[in-house]
């Protein structure tokens, strides 16, 4: 049964609605990747390292470096998601 909201719209408006929904879905997915990258790669290793209670070893620098890299990747993915949302049409 067709939705009364979309069936009464002209074809161009319906295409714009579909395009907007696809853009929002893609942006949500990319932003989810950003959150996962931040949590798993950027935050969890730092919490594990800091809660270990042992002095920082030589590997700590690598962990800090990889965590920083994950933070940068997470930010870039978030900006990509925002860019996808700019494709929305009024």
């Amino acid at each position: 049964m067709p939705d009364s909201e979309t069936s009464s719209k002209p074809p161009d408006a319906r295409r714009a609605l579909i395009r907007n929904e696809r853009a929002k879905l893609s942006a949500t997915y990319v932003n989810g990747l950003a959150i996962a990258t931040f949590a798993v790669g950027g935050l969890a290793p730092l919490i594990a390292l800091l809660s270990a209670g042992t002095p920082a070893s030589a590997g700590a620098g690598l962990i800090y470096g990889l965590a920083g890299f994950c933070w940068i990747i997470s930010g870039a993915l978030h900006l990509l998601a925002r860019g996808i949302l700019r494709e929305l049409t009024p």
Side-chain angles (χ1 to χ4, degrees), residues 8-79:
S8 63
K9 292 185 177 185
D12 290 339
R14 193 162 183 208
R15 281 191 202 102
L17 178 66
I18 291 169
R19 186 174 43 251
N20 284 347
E21 290 301 318
R22 286 180 179 166
K24 288 190 282 185
L25 183 62
S26 296
T28 300
Y29 180 79
V30 172
N31 201 50
L33 288 176
I35 292 168
T37 301
F38 175 79
V40 174
L43 199 57
L46 293 179
I47 291 173
L49 184 67
L50 295 174
S51 67
T54 59
S57 64
L62 178 64
I63 291 173
Y64 289 131
L66 288 175
F69 177 74
C70 286
W71 285 16
I72 291 169
I73 295 298
S74 175
L77 286 170
H78 179 70
L79 290 175

Side-chain angles (χ1 to χ4, degrees), residues 74-89:
S74 175
L77 286 170
H78 179 70
L79 290 175
L80 177 63
R82 289 181 61 148
I84 291 171
L85 290 177
R86 285 190 192 106
E87 296 176 7
L88 295 179
T89 55

